[in-house]
């Protein structure tokens, strides 16, 4: 499982997919999220703007990413 550090309180789901290099672009992030291919804490998430906080786990295409805060 990959860990992504963020500076702010949260990161939006689409931004996290790009930051973790799970997708190539924002358009691709939008597409895979709307198609229900992304899981947030084990549940399918279809909102690109979903706020992801430290401790949350996002899964896509067989890969898992957890978020931590560098503060």
């Amino acid at each position: 499982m990959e860990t992504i550090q963020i500076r702010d309180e949260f990161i939006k789901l689409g931004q996290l997919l790009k930051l973790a290099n799970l997708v190539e672009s924002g358009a691709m992030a939008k597409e895979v999220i709307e198609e229900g291919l992304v899981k947030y804490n084990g549940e399918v998430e279809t909102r690109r703007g979903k706020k992801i906080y430290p401790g949350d786990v996002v899964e896509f295409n067989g890969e898992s990413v957890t978020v931590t805060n560098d503060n």
Side-chain angles (χ1 to χ4, degrees):
M1 179 181 304
E2 184 178 357
T3 301
I4 298 291
Q5 281 193 333
I6 60 173
R7 289 176 288 174
D8 298 319
E9 181 182 354
F10 64 86
I11 186 170
K12 292 183 180 179
L13 181 56
Q15 294 171 329
L16 176 64
L17 292 178
K18 289 188 299 184
L19 183 62
N21 294 315
L22 296 176
V23 297
E24 295 178 8
S25 67
M28 185 177 179
K30 180 180 178 181
E31 184 177 316
V32 299
I33 293 167
E34 287 178 351
E35 290 178 4
L37 301 177
V38 178
K39 288 187 177 181
Y40 161 76
N41 291 337
E43 301 289 329
V44 172
E45 181 56 62
T46 58
R47 296 172 292 169
R48 181 175 55 155
K50 173 70 178 168
K51 294 178 181 177
I52 310 299
Y53 293 91
D56 288 339
V57 177
V58 172
E59 300 171 56
F60 171 65
N61 202 24
E63 296 193 42
S64 296
V65 175
T66 187
V67 176
T68 61
N69 193 305
D70 66 358
N71 290 336

